[in-house]
């Protein structure tokens, strides 16, 4: 549809919403295919809150649902956030009214993507969400469009900038006289700098990354998003000692989100993971995001870029608006909504992989032999071993890496070792990347 002016309603005036308003105000000539994009109405929780941009000439809506349904807007942009509540209600209202929707809401798409896709396609309008994954780095576009002619085997990478920043800063503390709880200290600094929310649970708990990898899995494998099937572990328990010992063994710890397909189904997981120091993912520091996509024909594609922030994310929202204005039409996911089914999850216990195990043990003879014998009896083969006394520690930390083993076997071995009288705490398990 060709239009001279596209009227845009924006719900949510936080970091991304403000970035979008600034983007469009600074580019009055932003007119893909000749049609101009103009924000005409907005909605947020507070009208009077001080903002570094002017909304005095825009129609104000206390209720985002009313903005979504307003006949004075041609495109509805949802930047409220959250999987339910006003965000979901407003998107449903806009689609129900036959209005195209652009959103940056990964939780909404990961948890309700299939039903929203069906509503969008029933009404014959697009639902676009490039900014929901990796901010300004076009991961969704690459998977949904550039690789549509390939069969994707796996996707894995760093999808949360907050966690990447925290782990990078913790590594920078090695060799220094730092605080007893390095994670909490760095998290507090990340909150001060605006990298982490006041309640950081979604980020550090791995849930944000799980939303994103669930979306990418749906796009890659032609299925409905199945966030409930994702296996999720955050970075709260990663200690400075783990980072040091991993580095001594030639690895760096990253929060890796991955999705892989096999004959058994699809495995989606988020875990703190050891990545070899010379691997590109290990080199992506600070708040960067990075992603590997492996296809059967194209091979491996690597993307790296900013995963959040006002400028990059607003640019991704603007790119979706441009697609709408130029008339681009495609399914919300890889297949029409009526053909989408949740993927069959693979039992993580059957997953094979290498592992990093860290033990804290008493400083007494026979401890290493007891641990090694227990692992051997369980069927776990040791690849490398490191013992490194630490000053002022309650015990002696030892760490080893294993050859590939089923997680069920490894977990059973850890349960047995945790009950040895010479072991002071439950062993720490971290996966080693297969990428």
């Amino acid at each position: 549809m060709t239009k001279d002016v596209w009227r845009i309603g924006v719900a949510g005036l936080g970091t991304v919403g403000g970035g979008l308003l600034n983007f469009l105000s600074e580019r009055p000539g932003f007119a893909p295919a000749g049609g101009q994009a103009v924000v005409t109405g907005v909605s947020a929780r507070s009208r009077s809150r001080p903002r570094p941009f002017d909304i005095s000439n825009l129609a104000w809506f206390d209720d985002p649902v009313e903005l979504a349904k307003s006949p004075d807007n041609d495109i509805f942009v949802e930047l409220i956030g959250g999987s339910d509540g006003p965000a979901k209600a407003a998107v449903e209202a806009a689609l129900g009214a036959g209005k195209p929707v652009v959103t940056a809401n990964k939780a909404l798409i990961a948890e309700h993507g299939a039903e929203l896709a069906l509503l969008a396609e029933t009404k014959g309008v697009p639902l676009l969400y490039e900014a929901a994954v990796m901010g300004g780095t076009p991961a969704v576009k690459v998977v949904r469009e550039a690789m549509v002619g390939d069969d994707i085997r796996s996707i894995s990478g760093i999808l949360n900038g907050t966690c990447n920043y925290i782990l990078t800063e913790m590594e920078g503390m090695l060799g220094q006289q730092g605080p007893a709880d390095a994670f909490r200290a760095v998290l507090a600094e990340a909150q001060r700098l605006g990298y982490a929310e006041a309640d950081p649970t979604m980020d550090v708990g791995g849930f944000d990354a799980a939303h994103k990898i669930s979306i990418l899995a749906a796009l890659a494998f032609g299925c409905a998003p199945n966030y409930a099937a994702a296996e999720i572990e955050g970075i709260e328990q990663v200690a400075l000692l783990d980072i040091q010992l991993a580095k001594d063994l030639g690895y760096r710890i990253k929060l890796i989100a991955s999705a892989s397909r096999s004959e058994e189904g699809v495995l989606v997981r988020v875990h703190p993971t050891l990545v070899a120091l010379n691997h590109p993912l290990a080199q992506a520091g600070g708040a960067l995001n990075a992603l590997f996509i492996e296809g059967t024909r194209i091979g491996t594609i690597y993307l790296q870029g900013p995963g959040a922030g006002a400028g990059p994310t607003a640019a991704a929202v603007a790119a979706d608006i441009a697609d709408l204005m130029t008339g681009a039409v495609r399914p919300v996911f890889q297949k029409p909504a009526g053909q989408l089914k949740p993927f069959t999850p693979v039992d993580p216990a059957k997953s094979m992989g290498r592992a990093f195990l860290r033990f804290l043990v008493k400083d007494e003879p026979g401890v290493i032999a007891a641990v090694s014998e227990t692992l051997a009896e369980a069927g776990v083969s040791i690849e490398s071993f490191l013992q490194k006394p630490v000053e002022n520690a309650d015990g002696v930390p030892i760490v080893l890496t294993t050859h590939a083993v089923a997680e069920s076997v490894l977990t059973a071995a850890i349960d047995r070792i945790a009950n040895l009288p010479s072991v002071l705490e439950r062993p720490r398990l971290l996966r080693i990347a297969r990428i």
Side-chain angles (χ1 to χ4, degrees):
M1 178 170 67
T2 302
K3 294 172 65 71
D4 293 331
V5 175
W6 289 79
R7 302 166 300 169
I8 301 171
V10 180
L13 297 177
T15 300
V16 180
L20 178 63
L21 265 61
N22 284 331
F23 178 97
L24 294 175
S25 65
E26 292 167 2
R27 295 165 178 78
F30 183 71
Q36 186 177 5
V38 177
V39 176
T40 54
V42 293
S43 178
R45 281 183 290 186
S46 171
R47 185 174 187 174
S48 58
R49 175 183 171 183
R51 295 183 172 91
F53 47 87
D54 184 20
I55 60 171
S56 60
N57 62 332
L58 304 178
W60 175 268
F61 291 78
D62 290 316
D63 184 355
V65 172
E66 293 305 313
L67 172 63
K69 295 189 297 185
S70 171
D72 296 327
N73 299 312
D74 304 304
I75 298 172
F76 178 65
V77 177
E78 184 275 308
L79 303 173
I80 301 168
S83 60
D84 293 286
K88 182 172 182 282
V91 168
E92 289 174 333
L95 294 175
K99 199 171 295 188
V101 171
V102 174
T103 180
N105 191 336
K106 60 266 185 182
L108 180 69
I109 300 300
E111 298 185 36
H112 302 292
E115 62 192 81
L116 293 175
L118 182 60
L119 178 58
E121 291 175 21
T122 299
K123 294 294 184 177
V125 292
L127 169 60
L128 301 181
Y129 48 91
E130 180 63 60
V133 181
M134 290 185 73
T137 306
V140 169
K141 193 172 289 289
V142 168
V143 175
R144 183 170 58 186
E145 299 173 34
M147 297 194 72
V148 70
D150 201 354
D151 293 317
I152 297 177
R153 293 173 175 167
S154 65
I155 299 179
S156 58
I158 299 165
L159 297 180
N160 185 272
T162 299
C163 290
N164 206 35
Y165 171 82
I166 290 172
L167 292 172
T168 300
E169 291 298 304
M170 286 177 69
E171 183 179 343
M173 297 169 68
L174 295 178
Q176 303 176 15
Q177 188 64 37
D181 190 338
F183 171 78
R184 295 295 168 191
V186 175
L187 173 58
E189 179 66 7
Q191 290 171 319
R192 188 185 71 80
L193 294 173
Y195 287 127
E197 300 290 340
D199 180 358
T201 305
M202 289 298 294
D203 289 321
V204 301
F207 306 107
D208 173 83
H211 281 131
K212 295 170 183 175
I213 194 64
S214 297
I215 293 170
L216 292 177
L219 289 170
F221 307 138
C223 54
N226 194 1
Y227 171 73
E231 184 185 0
I232 307 169
E233 180 185 349
I235 65 169
E236 304 99 319
Q237 301 304 314
V238 176
L240 207 58
L241 177 60
D242 297 319
I243 293 174
Q244 178 66 70
L245 293 171
K247 194 170 185 180
D248 290 343
L249 290 167
Y251 296 97
R252 181 165 284 134
I253 298 177
K254 297 289 186 179
L255 184 72
I256 300 297
S258 64
S260 57
R261 176 169 55 178
S262 66
E263 292 181 358
E264 290 76 27
V266 174
L267 180 62
V268 175
R269 60 196 330 188
V270 176
H271 292 298
T273 305
L274 274 68
V275 182
L277 289 172
N278 62 356
H279 193 281
L281 288 179
Q283 304 302 314
L288 284 175
N289 280 195
L291 189 70
F292 270 91
I293 308 167
E294 182 186 357
T296 58
R297 298 176 180 85
I298 297 175
T300 300
I301 291 177
Y302 179 62
L303 302 174
Q304 178 178 299
T313 310
V317 173
D320 275 347
I321 292 172
D323 274 355
L324 291 176
M325 295 167 67
T326 53
V329 178
R330 61 183 57 86
V332 176
F333 296 100
Q334 286 287 26
K335 296 179 179 179
Q339 298 178 23
L340 294 175
K341 297 185 184 301
F343 61 76
T344 301
V346 174
D347 182 359
K350 298 178 181 178
S351 177
M352 297 286 292
R354 296 165 59 224
F356 163 105
L357 297 176
R358 192 253 292 168
F359 309 90
L360 189 64
V361 300
K362 295 178 182 178
D363 187 6
E364 61 186 28
V367 174
I368 295 174
V371 170
S372 299
E373 289 171 7
T374 304
L375 289 171
E377 291 169 0
V380 179
S381 175
I382 298 174
E383 180 183 55
S384 63
F385 176 90
L386 176 66
Q387 180 177 348
K388 188 170 184 177
V390 177
E391 292 184 9
N392 302 319
D394 294 330
V396 178
I398 59 175
V399 62
L400 57 84
T401 61
T402 74
H403 290 287
V405 61
E407 291 212 5
S408 57
V409 173
L410 192 59
T411 301
I414 290 172
D415 289 341
R416 291 177 61 186
I417 292 171
N419 291 321
L420 293 175
S422 54
V423 175
L424 298 174
E425 63 183 26
R426 183 173 178 80
R428 180 78 173 106
L429 164 65
L430 294 172
R431 282 84 175 172
I432 298 176
R434 286 177 272 188
I435 47 183

